[in-house]
């Protein structure tokens, strides 16, 4: 049996294919439409069927709940739209009139109308109370593929195979605008939450943003290299997600029309991508049989939901965002409790995905920071959480220790907070950034702090006063990181605009803009001597720069995919680079040649670092493993495979003469490993790990398991468990009932007239003997104890 993830629920099965699925607005119900024309309504608390509607004669392609969750509209291949009353359990209206299969239905937000589309090239609008067709929108010259109402219900947008999007006026039946520009079939459209924009995706590999009032195309979003299958606005309308056959999900800035993130991980076409109601997650469904949950801010895959046996075509969040439902070609809807893993982590102190970690200068503490808005301080020796620093109102994206270790800086929700490392008290809240703070860094003297983020600026702060001394402006896109040179004379910033910048921290002047990369920068590092900078990113190259001149000294070519992580060796004689191609390369800084290509990871490398002595390179990967490599031989000396999710950050710590590797990954794993190595051997042992986020049930059986709920039994059985759970109390009760029947029989064994006493005693003895034989043959200790007590009382 495969492993069961925390939060996985039993799936919903039928004897035929699932064609549609939707949650009710209040989240208490869900409905599924099936290939055989049936509609089943479920309670989301138990996932038991409540109602089954059997009015359609062909497959149900689309289902929508009325806003009060009391009515359902369904569209079918039988050419009808049917309205179902959930209170009476009956069909209130059958809406006929389409000349072909009904592909989609949509409810008006005002609650008075239903729109439907068909392959007859029309859009029909129906009056809810009467069931009459009140409008027929004609204009598409080919099959209509989709229809949606505007947020206020005053417009309808439709799209189809004629390469156009049409905006219809509800009152006049006339097209308000015909949006032309796509060069192939349109596959998806979405209104912005404000209703002022429409996004469209097409087989021509582009996404277009249209102004509703003028009908003009505001932006053409290029980036996908195959057809776009889905588009969706974030709940606040600031971002747009698109996905398609290039196996990518792309996240766009709506105002600027630029790509903020490319979410890579799926290995086949992505059919659907949706935002969570809170806007912090994106769920994507793919033909690779998986659903992935992505962090919107970081682009990190927080979880991969496995279990589908065939292509997944649709995914959705419940209205509260606590569940995910997905379905595709298999005859099932799979359900996932997104909040369940969170509860599993609370007991250990980890309540969300670990983003990054930092070790204190003395190596006695570790600070982790995460999407639960907190910073947690851990004791290296014991693994216990010493402090929880609370104050941020949103995700914490960066943490830094001061060089002296007496202060901690954290950045996240447009603020930077300075904390007393001993007491955990917040000494300053530094405000001024207009976007999330993505990185913070102390100067080597500890008197200055640099911060940067989504507002494209770098801010330099006086640590003693909490005042901002300089605002560094020049970057054109969001920034990912900032750091000081080892001597503190330079500040280096980098991000999505492909140009790292070197600043003077005293004057705030930009000394050099490092141009040459052709994509976003994924990682940078100063050499230990501070005279060189190494950078790498989307263009697959590693570039070495002279800090004083701001010139590129060397371009290191060899990786086949983006460079995610870079590190100098402690002596500065080597550079290690980790790439999305799964390889780690070790370069000689004198000859600028590749010494080793370290191959072993099966997916992209996310993070690398050197051991303190520089004799090993440690790499983490999307394949959920950590590898320790010998830099002299290029051999892999050890592999850690205890993690169930991507390792997001690592640190090498020396404490009391012992070497430790600490690594944190998504969904609550934090592990401290003791590393013992000599020339011949490398031994890794787990020092501590506070929690596990996934239950491993490989090759499990549930035979005679006690106390297993019917709900969990259904899940485990669906995932391949064998055997029948036991119920000790039930079995014992049956045996006690047998004993009671014997006792009852004993009571009826009154002596007959003239019956000898010895004969009457013999009959009683036979019944007691029968009862004792049953007890001896039973393995139930409780039953045996009850029988022995009874026999003692008889003899007494």
């Amino acid at each position: 049996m495969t492993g069961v993830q925390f939060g996985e629920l039993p799936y919903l099965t039928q004897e035929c294919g699932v064609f549609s699925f939707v949650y009710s607005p209040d989240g208490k119900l869900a409905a599924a439409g099936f290939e055989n024309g049936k509609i089943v309504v479920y309670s989301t608390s138990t996932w038991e069927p409540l109602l089954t509607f059997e009015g359609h004669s062909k497959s149900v392609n689309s289902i929508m709940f009325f806003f009060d969750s009391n009515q359902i509209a369904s569209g079918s291949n039988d050419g009808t739209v049917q309205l179902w009353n959930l209170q009476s359990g009956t069909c209130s209206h059958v809406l006929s009139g389409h000349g072909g299969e009904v592909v989609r239905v949509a409810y008006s937000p005002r609650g008075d109308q239903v729109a439907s589309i068909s392959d007859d090239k029309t859009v029909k609008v129906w009056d809810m109370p009467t069931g009459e067709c009140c409008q027929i929108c004609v204009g598409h010259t080919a099959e209509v593929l989709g229809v949606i109402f505007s947020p206020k219900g005053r417009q309808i947008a439709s799209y189809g195979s004629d390469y156009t999007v049409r905006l219809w006026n509800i009152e006049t039946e006339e097209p308000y605008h015909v949006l032309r520009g796509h060069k192939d079939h349109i596959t998806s459209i979405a209104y912005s939450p404000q209703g002022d924009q429409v996004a469209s995706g097409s087989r021509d590999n582009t996404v277009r943003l249209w102004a509703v009032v003028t009908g003009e195309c505001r932006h053409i979003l290029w980036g996908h290299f195959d057809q776009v299958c889905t588009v969706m606005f974030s709940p606040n309308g600031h971002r747009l997600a698109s996905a398609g056959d290039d196996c990518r999900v792309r996240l766009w800035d709506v105002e600027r029309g630029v790509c903020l993130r490319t979410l890579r991980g799926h290995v086949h076409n992505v059919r659907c991508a949706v935002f969570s109601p809170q806007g912090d997650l994106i769920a994507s469904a793919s033909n690779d049989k998986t659903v992935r949950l992505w962090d919107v801010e970081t682009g990190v895959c927080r979880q991969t939901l496995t279990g589908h046996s065939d292509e997944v075509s649709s995914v959705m969040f419940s209205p509260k965002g606590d569940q995910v439902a997905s379905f595709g070609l298999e005859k099932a809807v799979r359900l996932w409790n997104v909040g369940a893993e969170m509860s599993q982590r609370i007991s250990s102190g980890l309540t969300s995905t670990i983003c990054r970690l930092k070790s204190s200068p003395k190596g006695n503490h570790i600070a982790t920071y995460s999407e639960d808005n907190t910073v947690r301080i851990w004791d290296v020796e014991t693994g216990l959480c010493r402090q929880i620093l609370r104050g941020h109102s949103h995700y914490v994206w960066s943490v830094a220790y001061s060089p002296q270790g007496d202060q901690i800086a954290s950045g996240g929700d447009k603020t930077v907070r300075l904390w007393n490392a001993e007491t955990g008290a917040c000494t300053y809240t530094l405000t001024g950034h207009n976007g999330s703070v993505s990185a913070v860094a102390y100067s080597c003297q500890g008197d200055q702090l640099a911060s940067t983020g989504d507002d494209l600026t770098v801010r330099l702060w006086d640590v003693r006063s909490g005042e901002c001394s300089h605002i560094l402006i020049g970057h054109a896109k969001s920034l990912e990181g900032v750091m000081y040179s080892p001597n503190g004379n330079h500040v280096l910033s980098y991000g999505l605009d492909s140009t790292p910048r070197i600043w003077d921290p005293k004057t705030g002047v930009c000394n050099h803009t490092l141009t040459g990369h052709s994509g976003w920068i994924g990682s940078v590092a100063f050499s230990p001597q501070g005279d060189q900078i190494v950078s790498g990113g989307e263009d697959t190259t590693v570039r070495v720069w002279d800090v004083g001149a701001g010139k590129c000294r060397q371009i290191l070519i060899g990786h086949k995919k983006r460079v995610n992580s870079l590190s100098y060796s402690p002596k500065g004689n080597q550079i290690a680079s980790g790439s999305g191609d799964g390889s780690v390369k070790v370069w000689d800084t004198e000859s600028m040649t590749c010494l080793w290509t370290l191959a072993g990871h099966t997916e992209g490398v996310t993070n690398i670092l050197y051991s303190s002595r520089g004799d090993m390179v440690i790499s983490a990967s999307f394949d959920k493993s950590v590898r320790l490599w010998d830099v002299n031989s290029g051999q892999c000396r050890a592999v850690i495979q205890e993690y169930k999710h991507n390792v997001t950050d690592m640190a090498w710590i020396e404490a009391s003469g012992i070497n430790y590797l600490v690594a944190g990954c998504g969904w609550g794993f934090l592990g401290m490993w003791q590393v013992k190595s000599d020339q011949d051997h490398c031994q890794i042992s787990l020092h501590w790990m506070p929690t596990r986020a996934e239950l491993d049930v490989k090759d499990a059986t549930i035979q005679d398991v006690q106390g297993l709920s019917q709900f969990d039994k259904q899940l485990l059985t669906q995932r391949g468990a064998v055997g029948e759970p036991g119920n000790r109390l039930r079995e014992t009760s049956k045996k006690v009932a047998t004993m009671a029947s014997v006792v009852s029989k004993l009571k009826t064994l009154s002596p007959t007239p003239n019956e000898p006493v010895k004969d009457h005693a013999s009959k009683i003895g036979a019944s007691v003997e029968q009862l004792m034989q049953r007890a001896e043959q039973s393995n139930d200790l409780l039953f045996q104890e009850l029988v022995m007590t009874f026999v003692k009382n008889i003899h007494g």
Side-chain angles (χ1 to χ4, degrees):
M1 147 175 207
T2 56
V4 174
Q5 296 166 301
F6 284 120
E8 184 179 355
L9 304 175
Y11 52 81
L12 312 178
T13 59
Q14 285 287 325
E15 68 274 11
C16 58
V18 182
F19 275 45
S20 52
F21 182 85
V22 67
Y23 282 94
S24 64
D26 60 11
K28 296 179 180 179
L29 303 172
F34 295 96
E35 186 179 10
N36 61 5
K38 291 183 180 180
I39 300 170
V40 180
V41 180
Y42 301 89
S43 165
T44 57
S45 60
T46 64
W47 289 106
E48 292 294 325
L50 300 178
L51 294 167
T52 300
F53 298 125
E54 301 184 15
H56 289 293
S57 60
K58 294 185 179 180
S59 59
V60 180
N61 296 321
S62 182
I63 300 177
M64 290 292 292
F65 272 92
F66 192 50
F67 73 90
D68 63 1
S69 302
N70 288 326
Q71 193 166 228
I72 287 176
S74 58
S76 168
N77 278 355
D78 63 12
T80 68
V81 176
Q82 299 191 17
L83 306 183
W84 306 89
N85 188 302
L86 299 185
Q87 293 181 335
S88 64
T90 60
C91 178
S92 57
H93 293 292
V94 177
L95 313 179
S96 302
H98 278 295
E101 300 174 348
V102 177
V103 182
R104 292 286 185 274
V105 295
Y107 264 122
S108 166
R110 297 186 294 183
D112 56 345
Q113 292 176 331
V114 173
S116 60
I117 60 168
S118 168
D119 55 10
D120 63 5
K121 307 176 186 178
T122 67
V123 179
K124 292 181 181 287
V125 182
W126 311 84
D127 182 71
M128 282 283 296
T130 65
E132 297 294 326
C133 180
C134 55
Q135 292 179 26
I136 301 177
C137 303
V138 179
H140 283 288
T141 59
E143 180 183 2
V144 185
L145 301 176
V147 64
I148 54 175
F149 277 90
S150 64
K152 294 183 179 179
R154 296 172 182 172
Q155 280 184 349
I156 290 176
S158 60
Y159 66 95
S161 301
D162 60 1
Y163 307 177
T164 69
V165 177
R166 294 174 183 259
L167 307 182
W168 306 88
N169 188 309
I170 291 293
E171 305 298 331
T172 64
E173 304 181 15
E174 295 296 324
Y176 187 62
H177 288 299
V178 180
L179 311 181
R180 305 181 190 274
H182 282 295
K183 307 301 182 184
D184 206 332
H185 292 56
I186 296 171
T187 56
S188 179
I189 59 172
Y191 270 102
S192 64
Q194 297 78 17
D196 58 339
Q197 293 187 73
V198 168
S200 59
S202 168
R203 291 184 186 175
D204 65 8
N205 306 351
T206 69
V207 177
R208 289 177 180 252
L209 295 177
W210 310 85
V212 168
V213 174
T214 65
E216 295 179 352
C217 181
R218 296 185 61 247
H219 295 294
I220 302 176
L221 310 181
W222 303 91
H224 288 284
F225 50 87
D226 208 330
Q227 74 169 1
V228 179
C229 297
T230 182
V231 294
M232 184 182 186
F233 281 93
S234 63
N236 61 14
H238 296 164
R239 295 174 179 177
L240 181 82
S242 62
D245 285 358
D246 60 359
C247 311
R248 306 287 194 268
V249 179
R250 291 182 180 268
L251 190 63
W252 308 86
D253 183 287
V254 172
E255 182 63 30
R256 296 180 291 155
V258 298
C259 183
L260 301 175
R261 298 276 191 277
T262 300
L263 313 182
R264 298 173 174 87
H266 286 295
V267 295
H268 213 303
N269 305 353
V270 182
R271 313 307 299 168
C272 183
V274 295
F275 279 94
S276 64
Q278 296 78 18
D280 58 337
L281 292 177
I282 291 175
S284 58
S286 169
N287 286 358
D288 65 8
K289 306 177 186 178
T290 69
V291 172
R292 287 180 177 252
L293 300 181
W294 307 87
D295 185 278
V296 170
E297 293 297 328
T298 65
V300 172
C301 179
R302 290 173 59 174
Q303 192 175 7
T304 300
L305 308 179
T306 59
H308 281 284
S309 61
D310 212 327
E311 298 176 358
V312 189
S313 59
S314 186
V315 64
M316 66 209 65
F317 283 93
S318 63
K320 293 182 180 179
D322 56 346
Q323 287 182 351
V324 169
S326 57
F327 65 91
L329 294 185
E330 66 178 336
K331 300 175 182 179
V333 178
R334 292 190 178 263
L335 306 167
W336 315 88
N337 190 340
V338 178
E341 286 195 358
M342 200 76 70
S343 65
Q344 295 294 331
R345 293 189 298 275
I346 290 175
S347 61
S348 67
L350 297 173
T351 59
S352 191
T353 306
I354 296 176
C355 296
R356 290 287 185 267
L357 56 89
K358 287 289 187 295
S359 61
S360 63
K362 295 180 181 179
N364 56 338
H365 296 134
I366 299 167
T368 62
Y369 45 106
S370 151
E371 282 97 338
D372 66 356
N373 309 348
T374 69
V375 178
R376 293 172 186 262
I377 311 301
W378 304 82
D379 186 274
V380 165
E381 292 296 328
T382 65
L384 297 177
C385 181
R386 294 182 63 251
Q387 293 174 336
I388 302 177
L389 310 182
R390 294 186 171 94
H392 287 286
S393 61
H394 203 49
Y395 303 160
V396 180
W397 295 123
S398 183
V399 161
Y401 272 95
S402 65
Q404 298 77 21
D406 59 341
Q407 194 176 71
I408 298 171
S410 60
D413 52 358
K414 300 183 181 181
T415 68
V416 176
R417 289 177 178 260
L418 304 183
W419 311 83
N420 184 299
E422 182 63 30
T423 66
C426 181
T427 56
Y428 284 113
T429 299
L430 312 180
T431 60
H433 281 290
N434 295 319
S436 295
V437 178
S438 58
V440 293
Y442 279 95
S443 64
C444 60
Q445 297 82 12
D447 58 341
Q448 194 179 67
L449 183 80
S451 62
T452 190
D454 289 347
D455 62 1
L456 316 186
T457 69
V458 179
R459 289 177 179 259
L460 303 182
W461 309 86
D462 184 287
V463 171
R464 290 182 293 269
S465 67
E467 298 294 325
C468 180
S469 57
H470 296 291
I471 302 175
L472 315 182
I473 300 174
H475 284 283
K477 293 183 180 180
S478 296
L479 298 176
E480 297 293 303
V482 65
M483 63 185 66
Y484 283 85
S485 61
N487 59 14
N489 293 336
H490 305 285
V491 171
L492 176 64
S493 59
Y494 67 97
L496 301 182
D497 63 0
S498 75
T499 55
R501 289 174 179 258
I502 302 174
W503 310 83
D504 186 316
K506 296 180 179 179
T507 64
V509 172
C510 180
N511 292 333
H512 301 292
T513 300
L514 310 182
T515 59
H517 283 291
S518 58
W520 49 259
I521 307 300
S523 181
V524 299
F526 274 102
S527 65
Q529 296 77 20
D531 58 339
Q532 290 183 3
I533 291 171
V534 63
S535 63
E538 190 177 24
D539 64 5
T540 74
T541 67
V542 176
R543 292 175 181 257
V544 181
W545 310 84
D546 183 277
V547 172
K551 301 295 183 181
C552 181
R553 288 189 53 206
Q554 192 73 34
I555 303 175
L556 309 179
I557 299 175
H559 287 296
K560 297 178 181 179
K561 293 186 179 180
R562 67 185 183 274
V563 178
N564 295 324
S565 184
L566 294 163
S567 178
Y568 271 95
S569 63
K571 294 181 180 179
N573 60 331
Q574 291 180 352
I575 296 170
S577 58
S579 167
D581 62 14
S583 71
V584 176
K585 290 182 178 291
V586 179
W587 311 84
D588 182 87
T589 56
E590 185 65 30
S591 63
M592 295 298 175
T593 58
C594 182
L595 300 175
W596 304 107
T597 297
L598 311 179
H601 288 296
T602 58
E603 295 189 43
V605 176
T606 59
N607 198 274
I608 56 174
L609 56 83
Y610 274 89
S611 62
S612 58
R613 292 187 300 176
D615 58 335
M616 286 191 290
V617 170
I618 300 92
S619 61
S621 167
F622 283 119
D623 66 10
K624 304 165 190 172
S625 73
V626 176
R627 289 177 175 264
L628 286 74
W629 310 85
D630 188 293
V631 297
N632 295 314
S633 66
Q635 298 298 311
C636 180
R637 304 201 65 190
V639 182
I640 300 172
Q641 295 180 308
E642 296 296 316
Y643 291 93
K644 301 297 183 181
H645 299 274
N646 303 330
V647 177
T648 52
D649 205 1
M650 303 183 296
W652 186 274
I653 296 174
E654 287 191 20
S656 303
I658 301 175
N659 292 322
Y660 294 102
L661 174 68
V662 58
C665 84
W667 294 102
F669 278 95
L670 178 66
M672 173 75 82
W673 307 85
Q674 184 175 340
V675 182
K676 295 181 179 179
S677 64
D678 54 32
Q679 189 173 359
D680 299 321
H681 301 91
C682 181
Q683 181 180 352
I684 305 293
S685 59
L686 181 63
H687 188 54
W688 51 257
M689 180 180 284
T691 187
R692 290 181 177 270
E694 185 173 284
L695 178 64
D696 190 359
V697 289
K698 294 180 181 178
D699 304 319
T701 176
I702 55 175
Q703 183 67 38
D704 297 327
V705 173
Q706 306 293 333
L708 189 65
S709 70
Q710 185 65 26
F711 197 74
D712 289 335
K713 175 192 171 184
Q714 183 183 1
L715 170 63
L716 296 175
T717 302
Q718 288 176 347
R719 294 305 295 269
V722 295
E724 187 65 27
N727 191 324
R728 184 184 179 198
L729 292 178
R730 184 182 301 153
E731 296 301 319
T732 300
S733 67
K734 291 180 181 178
K735 297 166 186 172
V736 171
T738 301
M739 185 179 76
S741 68
V742 174
V743 175
S744 178
K745 183 177 179 180
L746 287 173
K747 290 180 179 179
T748 62
L749 292 177
S750 301
T752 59
N754 303 319
E755 180 180 20
V757 174
K758 67 176 183 178
D759 292 342
H760 178 67
S762 177
K763 287 191 293 185
I764 295 176
S767 296
V768 172
E769 182 68 24
Q770 177 187 2
L771 185 61
M772 294 182 66
Q773 287 178 355
R774 288 178 178 267
E776 290 175 359
Q777 295 170 357
S778 170
N779 292 322
D780 193 324
L781 297 178
L782 175 60
F783 180 58
Q784 291 176 354
E785 185 176 342
L786 289 172
V787 170
M788 294 306 298
T789 301
F790 171 72
V791 172
K792 288 178 181 179
N793 289 334
I794 289 289
H795 290 306

